[in-house]
Amino acid sequence: LQRLEAAGLPGPQWLAYGTDPAGRAFLLVDEVPGAADLRSLLSDNRLSLADRRTLAERIGRTLAEIHLAGFATPELNAKHLLVHPRTLAVTLIDWQSAGRPGPVSADAAARQLAGLHASLTDDLAGGRERSRVLWAYRRVVRQAKASGQTGPR
């Protein structure tokens, strides 16, 4: 989480970490005020069509930026993606399986994006919204590669 924060990427704000007397590790993170998990937000039908389109683009861009920075998101699913309904700010939680930063392969990125896709039913996210996430993701990756930055291969 410290590395994620240093890279300027959205993640939960950690409050404390350590081990308990039994040697078990713990991490305490702050809440994300006003945010809801993606599935809850989409099921409430609170977002306009324009907001849903903007959110899909923001999710794609955010995930691409995270992957380009070398952070894998193996636990990526709708319940681990928090969204603030007014600002549409995206925050990923549940980073315990992310491991150390390093290159994210195209196969790993595809698996992670597929995990998000599989965690949303068709009534929550239609084909256009899903396509817009992938379109935004690929656009960021292409721009990064054009500028010489490495990323999912």
Side-chain angles (χ1 to χ4, degrees):
L1 290 178
Q2 289 172 325
R3 289 182 183 100
L4 194 66
E5 184 179 340
L9 296 168
Q13 179 62 48
W14 61 275
L15 298 173
Y17 62 92
T19 54
D20 68 12
R24 295 174 299 213
F26 70 89
L27 173 67
L28 179 63
V29 296
D30 201 2
E31 69 176 318
V32 182
D37 71 79
L38 180 60
R39 192 177 329 177
S40 297
L41 183 68
L42 295 175
S43 67
D44 288 348
N45 290 319
R46 293 187 268 177
L47 300 178
S48 68
L49 289 176
D51 283 346
R52 289 174 73 94
R53 180 180 174 167
T54 299
L55 177 58
E57 289 180 23
R58 186 156 301 163
I59 290 169
R61 278 195 325 265
T62 300
L63 295 175
E65 290 167 356
I66 287 170
H67 288 161
L68 286 166
F71 293 92
T73 54
E75 300 283 333
L76 182 59
N77 63 59
K79 70 180 180 180
H80 295 155
L81 205 151
L82 302 182
V83 180
H84 193 283
R86 282 193 317 277
T87 65
L88 302 180
V90 174
T91 303
L92 275 72
I93 60 170
D94 219 4
W95 286 91
Q96 73 270 10
S97 62
R100 293 198 178 275
V104 177
S105 71
D107 287 345
R111 278 191 306 277
Q112 293 161 20
L113 290 166
L116 177 59
H117 168 74
S119 69
L120 290 170
T121 57
D122 290 341
D123 62 315
L124 294 180
R128 286 183 183 215
E129 292 163 325
R130 293 170 193 270
S131 294
R132 185 156 294 279
V133 169
L134 294 176
W135 171 81
Y137 184 96
R138 290 296 304 151
R139 187 181 62 183
V140 170
V141 170
R142 278 192 311 270
Q143 289 171 345
K145 286 184 178 185
S147 68
Q149 183 180 356
T150 61
R153 305 181 252 309

